[in-house]
Every structure is written in structure tokens, then in C-alpha cells.
Amino acid sequence: GRMEILTFLRAGKIRNVVWLSSDTHATLVNDVGIGTFTPPFEGTGMKEVVGGPIAATPFAQSVAAVAGPAVVPALVAFLTAPVPLGVGMSCAVLGRYAYVKVDVDGGARRLTITPKDAAGHPVCPAPLVLTAVP
């Protein structure tokens, strides 16, 4: 499972790992930790970027339909609050259609990931810019 993959990557000293996924129906940018809710709050150096939704119902609307609209801002606050008070995400956009633009600059060994809304405007405070380490 999850721990086996993270342990394998760390044991093999595999660096510059970025997880790109979707299907959460939200845009999320996160540091991948060994354990998010239990000490020690050990990082892995990996990033996780969840993009979308491009066409499905945004997560905020689904949450509001089940738990009420007041839950959505509280959920965003929890997702963006620093560990151990929350998850510590640098971006948590739950209520907009979005996609992720990925730019790779091989010469500079740089990856720029910019979540954008349906009109092409960035949805996070800043793009995620990663420069590969040797």
C-alpha cells in the first residue's frame, strides 16, 4: 500500500518525485508526509498535486449537499492549517472547475505546475515550481 511505496522510494533514495492525480473533484497541493496526523510529522520531500474537476461536480458542492454549506470553509481551513493543526496544504480549492498545466524545462531541470480554472486563470496563490536535485 501507501507505506510500502513511500518506504521503497526512500530506501532507494529516489528523489524528485511528484505525484499527479485527479478524481477528488478538487485542486490540492500538498507535501507528502509519512504520517500526516500522528507524530513524528516526517516529510518525504515529495509533492502531491491533485487537479480537477474539469467536468464533474466540484467537491465543495458535494460536501455542502451532504453536510451543509458551512462545512466547506471549515474543511478548507483544516486542509490549509499547518501540521499538526491541519494537513498543511499550500493550496486547497474545492469549489471550482480546474485543470493542471505542467511545464517541464529539461535544461533547467525545473517543473512548474499551475492549477488553472476553466477560464485559464491560476487558482492557487502561486504555481508549484520544483527544481530537480541530483
Side-chain angles (χ1 to χ4, degrees), residues 11-132:
K13 299 185 191 296
I14 299 169
R15 295 183 285 222
N16 305 310
V17 175
V18 179
W19 300 93
L20 297 172
S21 64
S22 63
D23 205 31
T24 303
H25 300 192
T27 301
L28 308 167
V29 179
N30 190 36
D31 291 319
V32 176
I34 292 296
T36 302
F37 301 110
T38 55
F41 302 110
E42 185 179 352
T44 63
M46 298 176 217
K47 293 286 189 178
E48 173 184 34
V49 179
V50 179
I54 195 65
T57 301
F59 190 62
Q61 291 176 11
S62 298
V63 169
V66 172
V71 172
V72 175
L75 179 56
V76 171
F78 171 71
L79 292 173
T80 57
V83 172
L85 301 174
V87 180
M89 294 183 176
S90 61
C91 182
V93 178
L94 309 183
R96 295 170 74 180
Y97 291 105
Y99 64 95
V100 175
K101 181 177 183 228
V102 178
D103 292 305
V104 178
D105 182 338
R109 298 177 47 90
R110 185 173 47 244
L111 180 70
T112 303
I113 301 172
T114 310
K116 296 186 171 199
D117 66 15
H121 302 113
V123 298
C124 295
L128 177 63
V129 180
L130 303 168
T131 301

